[in-house]
Structure formats: C-alpha cells, structure tokens
C-alpha cells in the first residue's frame, strides 16, 4: 500500500514539474507577444504622417509626372511621392493631369 502511495506521490510531483514548465513557457509566450505589441505601437507612433498630396512619377527619371493625387487616393501608384499643397497646385497649373478618381483639381480649386 505504501508503494502505491509513493508511486502516486511521484506521479503528482512529476505532473507538478510538467505544469510548472508549461506555465513558464506560457509566460515566455506572453512576454514575447507583449514585446511585439509594444514594438508595433512604437512603430505606428514613429511613422511619419501620410502626405496630403501626391505626385505620381513617370516610368523613369526623365518621364514627366503622370498624375497629381490626394494623399489617400487608392489609385496612386508605387512611384508616387508626397508633395505640399502648393506643389500640387503648381503641378496642376503646369498641366500635370489630375487623377480622375480623387479629383485633386476640384479640391484645390484648379479647374480648366
């Protein structure tokens, strides 16, 4: 009878060690996730604000600009870069086409 109770005690102690190990692993996972969330938060806070106006460049450095866009235009291409409102107006006055989707010419009051 003592042998079986000692065996049961050994089993319970083993279970305790396994559970402590699992708990420690879970704590490491939680700490790692907290670090990832903090890093994402810091990245979002450090990200510069999106530009209000964009100019979409041509295929190479010698090509004229393709369109002027609002900063949140879904049609702005990968070759777009942020510009100021004055630069957007000037580009429109210099006949850079306004994007037909976001209509920056209407917003800026630069109509033909």
């Amino acid at each position: 009878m003592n042998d079986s109770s000692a065996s049961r005690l050994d089993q319970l102690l083993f279970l305790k060690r396994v559970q402590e190990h699992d708990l420690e692993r879970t704590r490491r996972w939680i700490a790692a996730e907290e670090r990832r969330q903090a890093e994402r938060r810091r990245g979002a806070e450090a990200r510069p604000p999106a530009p209000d106006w964009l100019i979409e460049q041509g295929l190479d450095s010698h090509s004229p600009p393709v369109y002027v866009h609002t900063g949140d235009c879904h049609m702005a291409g990968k070759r777009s870069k942020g510009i100021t409102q004055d630069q957007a107006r000037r580009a429109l006055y210099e006949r850079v086409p306004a994007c037909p989707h976001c209509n920056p010419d209407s917003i800026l009051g630069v109509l033909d």
Side-chain angles (χ1 to χ4, degrees), residues 38 40-48:
R40 280 192 294 271
R41 202 171 29 255
R42 281 192 302 275
E45 291 168 358
R47 187 175 300 127

Side-chain angles (χ1 to χ4, degrees), residues 57-106:
Q57 300 296 320
L59 291 175
D60 60 33
S61 60
H62 305 294
S63 300
V66 178
Y67 284 121
V68 175
H69 297 275
T70 59
D72 60 351
C73 180
H74 66 281
M75 293 301 291
K78 292 183 180 182
R79 296 181 313 272
S80 298
K81 68 175 187 170
I83 57 174
T84 66
Q85 184 172 347
D86 289 337
Q87 290 170 320
R89 266 198 188 97
R90 191 170 347 141
L92 291 168
Y93 283 129
E94 292 172 358
R95 301 287 183 213
V96 175
C99 171
H101 295 273
C102 63
N103 300 310
D105 51 348
S106 298

